[in-house]
């Protein structure tokens, strides 16, 4: 029997949820507010929360100094490309692991995950040398492939978990009706796993968008995405926090908007199979 | 007729291709410091004069170091010019990774570059990077608080005077602290300051046989003095403070004195950012009467990685950015207080620049630092606030963490020095010294 939820308890839960939400969102809110301050107001002590003269000067300075659209376009291509390529490779891999497992499937899954445990800097030099040989330094193609490989274990794991929730009998029925392997994956499995695939796509776009080790170390002027755009406003000798905040706000805005509009899908996918 | 036309077309094609060969695009890796930002803003002047265009890659200092080091050691060829410092230049030049700047034009007047800067950016007598701007460290102090304390800052104060003045200027209830010094761990943060300070106390990193010296009395005196001073007259949480944090405190009137890079003088005297812009005095970094001051020497310089396809255009850019004309260009656009300091003698001979309040003290500080003879006792290394060996950055980063932990009260100075000695001995032995 479900426990009755009183109005008082509901209010407390709502207040608590808002408090936690605001706490998590506060650093982003502070960054956005700082981006509208002058440099002197940005470092004021005690800090100024809202009582300052709002200025767009930092945004105009950033737009004047940097080619924001080029950084943005590179981010879109790199994050989108690596995620789509990753999903194309991961769907058949996850299908085989979920529906026709071998005795080594668990080991392979663990091995794939273990590649995430190595610090990235440990393989910087080999990958850098490989990129020189292949002519991929400062190219979007190179970054799409590297980020795809980095996120592939997560994509396979997520899809594997979602596919495991789908009864194998449905696929078996499709096979008995004469569906080929391609038709089985494309027309039977994929539509049933749409929430899972969508949340995998979204999560990996976010991961690739925010990836700041390879995108900084393998790019120079042409393929640099928004992570390099932010890094260019960090200064060891000089207080440019307001401009840095403006650059950060411009870098996170697209992904924040994407996350906002797709939050329903994201939550649905992440909780897929959580309640049976 | 047909032959004539063909010849004309061929000549035109040759001319077009010759022009396109001469107009290159060069890629420059740099940091986001004020002087570099101004340089980026003035790039059109270089393009209009030479036809070359410039792509800027601006990165945070630590990221830049990792990025350019990876590229130069693997011959990645991503950059035509790299912004490097006095630490990297002699090491990279010795490895043959940099192009020698020994054929710059007569107009460039390389002899005008301050000898301390040219020397620190040379290897075997040849300059391998040209100084864009140079800096030392000095004392910046609040003239009003000094006066209220009934003291007068000498031109070359001792550490004992600085301690007395810091205590006298401290008013913790009002949120004013007598002295702000670097405490954040890092070879370019607290270790730059403490290594330079240790020189004045008669300490050194290594003796002539490359034996680490953290077990010496001089290092013990240095670290204990620093921690006592900061506990008595420093701001709370000083172990997290680097250049920017202290700059922020000073600009808000919370520091009586700040000993740091000379380049900070233009920030603390800027009325747009500083609440104390009209109450700042300058003095040489302190000494202990042993013949060495606590100031460092550094230059942000432009070097060309060996093997670049655009060496000619890169050299043209370096000549433009580090020339006398460039200084005039910045002065015309941004004022004399904003020209890149510390690189050329002619700047300090200029009557217009002499009017800038911190100009003379910056020059005096630079001239009083000697990278070839940095310590009281002889040492086998070059460098004032660092030892120009490849192992230094790694070792000093670890030592910096121990010293920062001691400042935070997590361990005693003696424990920090003991650990510093042990880890330095291990690292030097592993490196084959």
């Amino acid at each position: 029997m479900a426990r009755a939820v009183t109005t008082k308890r509901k209010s407390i839960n709502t207040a608590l949820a808002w408090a936690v939400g605001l706490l998590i969102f506060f650093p982003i809110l502070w960054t956005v507010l700082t981006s509208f301050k002058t440099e002197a107001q940005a470092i004021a002590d005690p800090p100024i929360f809202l009582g300052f003269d709002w200025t767009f000067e930092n945004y105009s300075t950033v737009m004047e100094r940097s080619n924001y659209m080029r950084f943005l376009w590179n981010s879109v291509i790199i994050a989108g490309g690596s995620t789509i390529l990753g999903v194309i490779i991961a769907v058949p891999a996850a299908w085989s692991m979920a529906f026709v497992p071998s005795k080594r499937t668990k080991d392979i899954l663990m091995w794939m995950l273990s590649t995430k445990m190595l610090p990235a800097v440990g393989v910087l030099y080999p990958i850098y040398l490989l990129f020189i040989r292949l002519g991929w330094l400062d190219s979007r193609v190179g970054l799409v492939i590297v980020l795809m490989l980095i996120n592939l274990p997560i994509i396979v794991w997520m899809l594997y978990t979602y596919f495991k929730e789908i009864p194998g009998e449905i696929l078996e029925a499709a096979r008995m009706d004469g569906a080929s392997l391609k038709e089985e994956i494309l027309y039977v499995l994929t539509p049933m796993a749409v929430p899972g695939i969508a949340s995998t796509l979204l999560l990996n776009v976010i991961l690739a968008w925010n990836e700041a080790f390879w995108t900084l170390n393998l790019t120079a002027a042409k393929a640099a995405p928004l992570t390099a755009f932010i890094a260019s406003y960090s200064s060891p000798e000089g207080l440019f926090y307001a401009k840095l905040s403006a650059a950060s706000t411009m870098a996170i805005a697209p992904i924040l908007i994407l996350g906002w509009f797709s939050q329903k899908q994201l939550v649905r996918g992440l909780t897929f199979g959580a309640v049976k | 007729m047909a032959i004539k036309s063909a010849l004309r077309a061929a000549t035109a094609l040759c001319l077009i291709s010759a022009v396109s060969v001469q107009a290159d695009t060069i890629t420059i890796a740099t940091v986001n410091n004020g002087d570099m930002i101004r340089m980026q803003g003035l790039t059109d002047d270089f393009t209009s004069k030479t036809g070359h265009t410039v792509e800027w890659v601006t990165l945070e200092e630590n990221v830049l170091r990792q990025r350019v080091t990876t590229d130069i050691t693997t011959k990645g060829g991503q950059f035509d010019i790299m912004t490097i410092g006095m630490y990297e230049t002699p090491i990279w030049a010795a490895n043959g990774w940099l192009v020698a700047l020994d054929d710059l034009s007569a107009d460039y007047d390389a002899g005008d570059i301050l000898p301390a800067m040219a020397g620190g950016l040379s290897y075997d007598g040849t300059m391998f990077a040209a100084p864009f701007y140079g800096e030392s460290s000095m004392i910046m102090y609040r003239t009003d608080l000094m006066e209220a304390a009934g003291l007068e800052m000498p031109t070359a104060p001792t550490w004992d005077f600085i301690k007395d003045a810091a205590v006298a200027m401290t008013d913790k209830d009002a949120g004013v602290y007598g002295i702000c010094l670097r405490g954040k761990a890092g070879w370019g943060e607290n270790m730059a300051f403490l290594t330079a300070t240790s020189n004045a106390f008669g300490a050194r990193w290594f003796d002539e046989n490359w034996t680490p010296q953290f077990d010496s009395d001089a290092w013990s005196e240095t670290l204990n003095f620093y921690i006592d001073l900061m506990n008595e007259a420093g701001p709370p949480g000083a172990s997290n403070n680097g250049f920017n944090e202290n700059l922020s405190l000073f600009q808000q009137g919370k520091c009586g004195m700040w000993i740091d890079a000379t380049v900070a003088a233009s920030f603390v005297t800027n009325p747009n950012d500083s609440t104390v812009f009209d109450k700042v005095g300058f003095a040489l970094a302190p000494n202990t009467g042993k013949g060495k001051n606590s100031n460092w020497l550094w230059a942000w310089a432009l070097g060309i990685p060996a093997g670049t396809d655009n060496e000619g255009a890169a050299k043209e850019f370096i000549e433009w950015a580090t020339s006398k004309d460039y200084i005039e260009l910045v002065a015309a656009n941004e004022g004399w207080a904003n020209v890149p300091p510390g690189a050329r003698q002619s700047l300090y001979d200029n009557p217009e620049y002499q009017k800038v309040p911190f100009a003379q003290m910056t020059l005096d500080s630079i001239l009083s630092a000697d990278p070839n003879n940095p310590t009281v006792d002889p040492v086998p290394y070059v460098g004032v606030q660092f030892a120009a060996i490849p192992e230094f950055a790694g070792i000093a980063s670890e030592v910096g963490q121990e010293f920062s932990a001691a400042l935070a009260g997590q361990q005693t100075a003696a424990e920090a020095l003991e650990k510093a000695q042990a880890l330095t001995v291990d690292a030097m032995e592993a490196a084959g010294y």
Side-chain angles (χ1 to χ4, degrees), chain B residues 240-374:
Chain B
N240 296 316
N241 291 353
F243 177 92
N244 279 340
E245 290 78 10
N246 284 329
L247 170 61
S248 170
L249 287 170
F250 195 92
Q251 285 185 338
Q252 291 171 69
K254 294 181 185 298
C255 299
M257 289 178 283
W258 178 30
I259 304 172
D260 215 301
T262 49
V263 76
S266 65
F267 297 131
V268 296
T269 53
N270 183 343
N272 293 328
D273 298 327
S274 176
T275 58
V276 294
F277 68 94
D278 54 348
K279 304 183 191 88
V280 186
F282 306 97
L284 282 177
N287 62 73
T288 63
K290 290 180 177 166
K292 295 289 172 190
N293 294 335
S294 301
N295 57 315
W296 64 65
L297 187 70
W298 184 255
W300 277 115
L302 304 175
I304 304 171
T308 171
D309 294 333
N310 299 316
E311 189 180 314
K315 274 189 180 163
E316 282 182 62
F317 183 87
I318 288 180
E319 282 205 28
W320 172 80
T322 62
S323 66
K324 293 177 193 172
D325 288 347
Y326 175 79
I327 290 173
E328 297 274 349
L329 180 70
V330 178
N333 283 277
E334 313 263 349
W336 281 101
N338 291 312
V339 302
R344 286 183 167 272
Q345 179 60 48
S346 55
L347 176 65
Y348 293 92
D349 297 337
N350 188 320
E352 288 300 319
Y353 193 65
Q354 284 168 1
K355 292 176 194 164
V356 174
F358 47 84
Q360 191 56 45
M361 191 52 69
T362 299
L363 179 65
D364 292 345
S365 298
I366 288 171
L367 295 179
S368 71
D370 181 0
N372 292 308
N373 185 24

Side-chain angles (χ1 to χ4, degrees), chain B residues 149-169:
Chain B
L151 296 166
E152 194 177 337
M153 177 68 87
T155 314
T158 62
W159 270 111
D160 285 336
F161 173 85
I162 293 299
K163 190 171 189 178
D164 292 343
V167 172
M169 291 160 102

Side-chain angles (χ1 to χ4, degrees), chain A residues 39-40 43-45 65 70 124-125 128-129 132 137-138 213 216-221 228 231-241, chain B residues 32-33 37 55 57-61 63 66-67 69-71 73-74 76 78-79 133 135 243-244 247-248 251-252 254 261 263 267 272:
Chain A
E39 294 294 354
I43 59 159
D45 184 23
R65 257 185 64 193
R70 184 170 76 178
L124 173 60
Y125 270 79
Y128 205 88
L129 289 167
I132 293 172
L137 277 178
D138 200 21
F213 180 80
L216 288 178
N217 278 290
L218 297 176
T219 62
S232 71
Y233 284 90
S234 171
S235 176
E237 280 187 350
L239 296 167
F240 305 118
Y241 295 143
Chain B
N32 187 41
N33 290 355
I37 297 167
E55 294 262 29
V57 179
T58 311
L59 293 168
E60 193 272 326
E61 185 176 344
V63 177
Q66 179 178 303
R67 184 75 188 82
T69 306
T70 307
D71 198 64
T73 51
T74 56
Q78 289 298 289
F79 307 107
Y133 77 81
E135 66 176 36
F243 177 92
N244 279 340
L247 170 61
S248 170
Q251 285 185 338
Q252 291 171 69
K254 294 181 185 298
V263 76
F267 297 131
N272 293 328

Side-chain angles (χ1 to χ4, degrees), chain A residues 49-69:
Chain A
F49 187 62
L50 286 171
F52 58 90
D53 298 327
W54 293 56
T55 173
F56 286 91
E57 199 189 325
N58 301 311
Y59 287 94
S60 63
T61 306
V62 168
M63 287 301 280
E64 205 177 295
R65 257 185 64 193
S66 306
N67 188 347
Y68 172 71
M69 290 312 289

Side-chain angles (χ1 to χ4, degrees), chain A:
Chain A
M1 199 180 100
R3 194 170 49 183
V5 181
T6 63
T7 315
K8 192 182 166 192
R9 196 184 175 87
K10 218 172 177 177
S11 308
I12 291 171
N13 284 348
T14 308
L16 206 66
W18 267 97
V20 172
L22 281 174
L23 195 70
I24 293 168
F25 185 68
F26 188 75
I28 296 172
L29 177 67
W30 190 253
T31 304
V32 175
L33 288 175
T34 305
S35 72
F36 292 104
K37 296 175 184 173
T38 62
E39 294 294 354
Q41 288 165 341
I43 59 159
D45 184 23
I48 309 166
F49 187 62
L50 286 171
F52 58 90
D53 298 327
W54 293 56
T55 173
F56 286 91
E57 199 189 325
N58 301 311
Y59 287 94
S60 63
T61 306
V62 168
M63 287 301 280
E64 205 177 295
R65 257 185 64 193
S66 306
N67 188 347
Y68 172 71
M69 290 312 289
R70 184 170 76 178
F71 288 106
L72 176 68
W73 183 237
N74 283 338
S75 274
V76 170
I77 297 284
I78 292 163
S82 64
T83 303
I84 290 166
L85 192 63
V87 169
I88 289 170
I89 295 169
V91 166
W95 173 86
S96 73
M97 288 177 186
F99 300 112
V100 277
S102 71
K103 57 180 179 178
R104 294 264 176 241
T105 295
K106 281 263 157 65
D107 297 337
I108 292 170
L109 278 166
M110 280 314 293
W111 170 77
M112 285 180 75
L113 207 60
S114 72
T115 59
K116 296 291 292 175
M117 295 167 194
L118 177 74
V121 73
V123 289
L124 173 60
Y125 270 79
I127 288 189
Y128 205 88
L129 289 167
L130 210 61
F131 266 53
I132 293 172
R133 273 284 181 85
L134 295 167
W136 282 355
L137 277 178
D138 200 21
S139 76
R140 293 192 292 241
V141 172
L143 276 179
V144 163
I145 289 169
V146 157
L147 294 194
M148 181 274 288
L149 289 171
I150 286 166
N151 288 335
L152 196 57
I154 294 173
I155 303 177
V156 171
W157 261 92
M158 285 181 77
L159 290 178
Y160 168 77
T161 315
Y162 297 133
F163 288 176
K164 284 288 275 184
E165 298 298 323
I166 295 167
E169 290 79 10
I170 297 176
L171 300 182
E172 221 173 282
R175 249 172 268 150
M176 286 175 72
D177 284 345
S180 67
L181 182 61
K182 187 180 145 196
E183 286 167 338
E184 180 190 322
I185 292 177
L186 273 182
Y187 303 120
V188 184
L189 175 69
T190 306
M192 282 193 294
V194 159
I197 292 174
S199 64
T200 306
L201 277 168
L202 284 168
L203 194 69
N204 280 279
V205 163
I206 293 168
L207 287 174
W209 190 275
N210 292 329
E211 204 288 327
F213 180 80
W214 296 108
T215 50
L216 288 178
N217 278 290
L218 297 176
T219 62
K222 295 185 194 81
L226 286 166
T227 45
F229 170 71
I230 298 178
S232 71
Y233 284 90
S234 171
S235 176
E237 280 187 350
L239 296 167
F240 305 118
Y241 295 143
K243 287 178 197 68
L244 179 63
S245 298
S248 300
T249 304
M250 289 166 77
I252 60 172
I255 203 75
L256 213 60
I257 293 166
L258 179 74
W260 183 268
F261 281 111
S262 55
Q263 57 179 316
K264 224 176 205 174
Q265 193 70 268
L266 196 63
V267 173
R268 204 176 135 203
L270 288 173
T271 53
F272 185 68
V275 184
K276 287 192 180 177

